[in-house]
Amino acid sequence: MARLRPCLLLLALSLAGCGRGAAPAAPALPADGRIEWQGLLACADCDGIQTRLVLLRSGELRNYTLTETYLAEDNGARFVEGGHWQRDRDLLRLRGDTGDTRVFALLPDGRLQPRDRHGREFRPREGDFLAPVTTPTPP
C-alpha cells in the first residue's frame, strides 16, 4: 500500500485538472494526515530564508508549523510559528497563533509560492517557491 501512495497522489494531481476550463486546478490536500514543503526563499538583508512548512489535518482540525531559518554570515536566526490554515481555492491562508496572516498560492504542480495578503504575487519574489517533500518509500 505504501508504494501505491505516490502513484495515487500523481493520479489525483493529474485528474484534478480534468474537465475544467482554461486554468488547471491546484492539487488536492489530504483529507487527514500531514503534508510538507520546503525551500530557500529570497531575503533582503540575508543570504536566504530556509523555509519548511508542515500542514496537519485531522477531521476539522487544521494546524501548521512554519520554520524559517535566516541564513547570514554572522549567525542566522531561526523562527518557528504555528497556527491554523485554510484553503481558499488555489490559496493557502495561514493564521498564526500570534495573529500573523501569511498567504501562499498552491500551484498546479504542487509547489507553494508566497503571496501578499490579497493573494497577489510579490514582483521581486516571483521565483520563490516551496517544493513538496516526498517521504521515501521503505524497501
Side-chain angles (χ1 to χ4, degrees):
M1 181 66 175
R3 290 185 179 186
L4 283 176
R5 285 185 187 159
C7 293
L8 292 173
L9 179 60
L10 287 174
L11 178 62
L13 290 175
S14 64
L15 291 176
C18 293
R20 303 251 174 159
L29 296 176
D32 279 330
R34 166 191 171 112
I35 189 167
E36 180 178 339
W37 293 268
Q38 64 183 11
L40 184 64
L41 301 180
C43 178
D45 57 356
C46 69
D47 296 329
I49 306 167
Q50 186 64 45
T51 305
R52 179 174 169 239
L53 174 62
V54 177
L55 300 184
L56 299 171
R57 185 171 180 180
S58 177
E60 294 299 314
L61 294 175
R62 297 176 183 196
N63 297 316
Y64 77 88
T65 302
L66 178 67
T67 305
E68 296 175 308
T69 304
Y70 288 73
L71 308 175
E73 283 184 30
D74 57 343
N75 287 332
R78 183 178 177 187
F79 299 94
V80 179
E81 170 186 306
H84 302 283
W85 63 271
Q86 72 178 44
R87 182 170 178 180
D88 179 15
R89 290 186 238 166
D90 65 341
L91 295 179
L92 187 62
R93 297 184 185 279
L94 309 178
R95 287 189 174 56
D97 293 335
T98 60
D100 271 356
T101 299
R102 297 189 191 222
V103 178
F104 289 88
L106 185 57
L107 302 178
D109 63 2
R111 294 180 301 163
L112 291 180
Q113 184 180 45
R115 298 290 175 100
D116 72 10
R117 296 186 81 196
H118 304 288
R120 296 180 298 237
E121 286 186 50
F122 290 113
R123 286 293 173 206
R125 296 178 57 186
E126 48 205 12
D128 278 358
F129 298 100
L130 298 179
V133 175
T134 57
T135 308
T137 306

